[in-house]
Amino acid sequence: TASLGQPAPKAAVSEVGLDLIQRAYDCFSSVYVSGDQEKQQAAKEGFAACHSWRAAIFDHLRLDDAMAEFARALDVFRELGRDREWKVAEVLFQRGDLHSRADDPELAAKDFIAAAGLFKKLGDHLMEAKCVLGIAELLDKRGRRLESKQYYEAAAAITVQQKMNQRA
């Protein structure tokens, strides 16, 4: 712990976590090599999950590595086809969040918009609302209050509509 007058230690990337993810990746590789088409598909989904986990561990501490891992996860999930569109949207949302925290509002907004569109298409309106809320927060942080208000209201409207649909 840091004492008065001394800066807090900088957070470090979890090498133990990365090692565990590498072990999982190696297991998926074994399944992929020795498996039939169904097992290969499952292994690919495991590869994509490993890339997402690595991105989470790297986070803003190794931003370029995190973004590369998100890109790899997206490539694999997209390759797996329409059945994995929700996972694509989830990774876009996570990457948008990281772009936002890394103070890159343009790329964050691009990812949030893409994720919102997929979530809307898939009928996951609560996640769609979270994406719209992410855009509102980006605008709000930059002092663009009137624009952010529109997005806050849109996120609230999506949520209310979803709750009304659930009751019907």
Side-chain angles (χ1 to χ4, degrees):
T1 61
S3 62
L4 291 176
Q6 293 180 328
K10 192 172 183 179
V13 169
S14 171
E15 294 301 326
V16 171
L18 290 174
D19 182 56
L20 291 172
I21 293 168
Q22 186 58 51
R23 290 180 191 193
Y25 198 93
D26 293 345
C27 289
F28 291 126
S29 294
S30 294
V31 169
Y32 184 83
V33 170
S34 65
D36 58 15
Q37 187 173 3
E38 187 176 316
K39 287 181 181 177
Q40 287 179 343
Q41 290 286 95
K44 283 183 182 180
E45 189 160 352
F47 295 150
C50 288
H51 290 303
S52 293
W53 297 333
R54 282 186 189 128
I57 287 176
F58 290 143
D59 198 53
H60 66 280
L61 298 171
R62 289 176 45 187
L63 186 61
D64 289 342
D65 290 333
M67 293 303 172
E69 292 296 339
F70 277 136
R72 289 180 188 111
L74 284 169
D75 286 346
V76 176
F77 280 131
R78 285 178 175 140
E79 181 184 317
L80 287 168
R82 297 179 68 96
D83 291 345
R84 302 306 187 284
E85 282 184 315
W86 195 93
K87 296 300 283 183
V88 169
E90 179 185 39
V91 172
L92 286 168
F93 175 76
Q94 291 169 344
R95 188 173 72 178
D97 177 63
L98 181 54
H99 279 304
S100 176
R101 290 183 290 116
D103 202 31
D104 192 338
E106 289 80 22
L107 290 176
K110 183 178 176 182
D111 282 344
F112 284 145
I113 290 167
L118 279 173
F119 284 129
K120 181 177 184 173
K121 173 184 165 190
L122 297 168
D124 191 336
H125 301 294
L126 295 179
M127 284 302 296
E128 175 192 2
K130 285 179 81 169
C131 295
V132 173
L133 184 62
I135 296 167
E137 290 170 349
L138 285 171
L139 293 167
D140 202 16
K141 286 179 190 174
R142 277 144 193 84
R144 296 167 63 185
R145 300 284 193 259
L146 290 177
E147 285 178 273
S148 68
K149 181 181 179 213
Q150 292 172 345
Y151 282 92
Y152 283 125
E153 289 172 349
I158 293 166
T159 304
V160 167
Q161 184 62 43
Q162 175 66 22
K163 290 186 185 239
M164 290 174 61
N165 289 345
Q166 288 175 340
R167 291 182 186 151

